[in-house]
Amino acid sequence: MDRRRLDAAQAAVRSHGLDALLVGPSADLRYLVGYDAHAMERLTLLVLPGEGDPWLLVPELEAPAARASGADQLVELRSWDETEDPVALVARELTDPAAPGAVAVSDRLFSVFTLALQEALPGTGFRSGGPVLRALRIRKDPAELVALRAVGAAIDRVHAEVPGLLRAGRTEAEVARDLGELILSEHDEVAFIIVGSGPNGASPHHAVSDRVLAPGDAVVVDIGGVKDGYCSDMTRNYAVEHLPAGYAELHAVLEQAQDTAVRAVAPGVPAAAIDAAARDVISAAGYGERFIHRTGHGIGVDVHEDPYIVGGNEELLAQGMAFSVEPGIYVPDRYGARIEDIVLVTEDGAERVNHRPRTVLLAG
Ligand code: ZN
Ligand code: ZN
Ligand code: ZN
């Protein structure tokens, strides 16, 4: 990592009229200095002033981990020991009694720290840090695009193994254990595993259960991991031995909806138009009521981040944005289906990072 992101963030602090941005353990912290810190009761805080050098406050016992991350190559590392009050230490550095000013706190800083900082800095205005970093994170630089393609290829390889795992008589949980190992063999971390068989597939965020797979089950498999700091997230639908009645027709509609939405992606198109492109196809086929979530979410150092591909979001897509296109159709008590790829916005369209077949694959 180099200082470019920190420089851009400090410029954003100034342009937002702030004195400093305070960043707790989060994807924001990883994005800025490459340190994957524990979010816990001991305060870790990156202090990013508009002017002057940024510094990272860490509990003494976390200092070796912070150094191992290389963050100390980018910012000055300061540690506090168990008997010090870290909030008072930060407040002392930030307080200018003559001009209390305004600071922003990162979205994921625990309220226990935010409230303590507010109390220690009476008169200082507190703002949300999300808007400060948003413009930086929402458009990926070339190195980030490389990372997103690599992690997309990694989850493609995991999906290639799924047909061999889904056999009648196995439980969702058994399949998920195998998936966990496969994800880890291709990533540094498992982010999440959804194996929604039969009626469980009708719940979009069902995780796993002890339900036993049976012939004729449709199975929604939505999995993701983290590799070199960037996330994968990919959904395909499978069927054990044969497709349940009506599923082929439903799935054909979904394939068309997903493809239509991906083809609609281009710089200058509002995010809401991508959602509408998928929804129009599904509604025209009579499944409109069954598509119960937004079409997608941005992805990068977080699995879910800006831009959200949802009705009402008139934000214009721009080259370098990365997000999921994942329409779904859910039939309660029977089955569900969702097709999800991550796409990168190019100069004139979209590039998918996931390439596995989007049809229902037979397993078992
Ligand atoms: Zn989701
Ligand atoms: Zn997903
Ligand atoms: Zn997703």
Side-chain angles (χ1 to χ4, degrees), residues 78 105 110 271 308 350:
R78 300 187 196 172
V105 292
F110 286 164
Y308 291 99

Side-chain angles (χ1 to χ4, degrees), residues 88-111:
L89 206 151
V90 172
R92 265 202 306 280
E93 291 285 337
L94 288 175
T95 306
D96 176 357
V103 299
V105 292
S106 63
D107 289 348
R108 306 277 167 91
L109 185 67
F110 286 164
S111 60

Side-chain angles (χ1 to χ4, degrees), residues 192 194 205 222-223 233-235 297 303-304 326 338 340:
F192 60 88
I194 295 173
H205 272 179
D222 184 356
I223 47 180
D233 183 3
M234 178 181 177
T235 311
H297 53 82
V303 181
H304 289 185
E326 51 175 309
R338 180 167 62 259
E340 175 177 29

Side-chain angles (χ1 to χ4, degrees), residues 46-263:
L46 173 67
V47 180
L48 207 64
E51 309 284 350
D53 293 328
W55 50 283
L56 178 63
L57 182 68
V58 298
E60 182 107 58
L61 78 167
E62 299 290 331
R67 261 183 233 106
S69 76
D72 61 331
Q73 305 294 309
L74 294 170
V75 292
E76 184 199 338
L77 205 63
R78 300 187 196 172
S79 61
W80 59 275
D81 71 42
E82 301 279 59
T83 61
E84 281 179 291
D85 176 354
V87 168
L89 206 151
V90 172
R92 265 202 306 280
E93 291 285 337
L94 288 175
T95 306
D96 176 357
V103 299
V105 292
S106 63
D107 289 348
R108 306 277 167 91
L109 185 67
F110 286 164
S111 60
V112 66
F113 299 128
T114 305
L115 293 170
L117 283 160
Q118 282 182 308
E119 200 173 318
L121 291 165
T124 298
F126 277 73
R127 313 258 186 275
S128 161
V132 182
L133 292 178
R134 187 181 193 282
L136 272 68
R137 280 183 48 185
I138 201 167
R139 290 182 70 172
K140 274 61 182 178
D141 66 27
E144 295 185 281
L145 296 176
V146 167
L148 283 166
R149 284 187 197 104
V151 76
I155 203 70
D156 253 348
R157 289 191 290 270
V158 176
H159 264 288
E161 304 294 328
V162 172
L165 303 179
L166 300 173
R167 284 189 303 277
R170 302 195 80 197
T171 67
E172 290 176 0
E174 284 167 348
V175 172
R177 271 196 292 279
D178 291 345
L179 281 171
E181 281 180 28
L182 287 165
I183 294 169
L184 272 183
S185 73
E186 294 280 358
H187 299 71
D188 306 318
E189 275 174 52
V190 176
F192 60 88
I193 298 175
I194 295 173
V195 181
S197 68
N200 291 340
S203 165
H205 272 179
H206 169 78
V208 295
S209 75
D210 289 325
R211 185 177 182 280
V212 178
L213 303 186
D217 276 351
V219 188
V220 180
V221 176
D222 184 356
I223 47 180
V226 187
K227 179 181 165 71
D228 298 328
Y230 284 79
C231 301
S232 60
D233 183 3
M234 178 181 177
T235 311
R236 290 292 186 267
N237 307 297
Y238 301 87
V240 181
E241 296 176 30
H242 62 87
L243 271 63
Y247 200 74
E249 294 81 351
L250 173 155
H251 204 274
V253 171
L254 195 58
E255 285 170 47
Q256 199 202 331
Q258 206 258 2
D259 199 53
T260 303
V262 170
R263 285 169 193 278

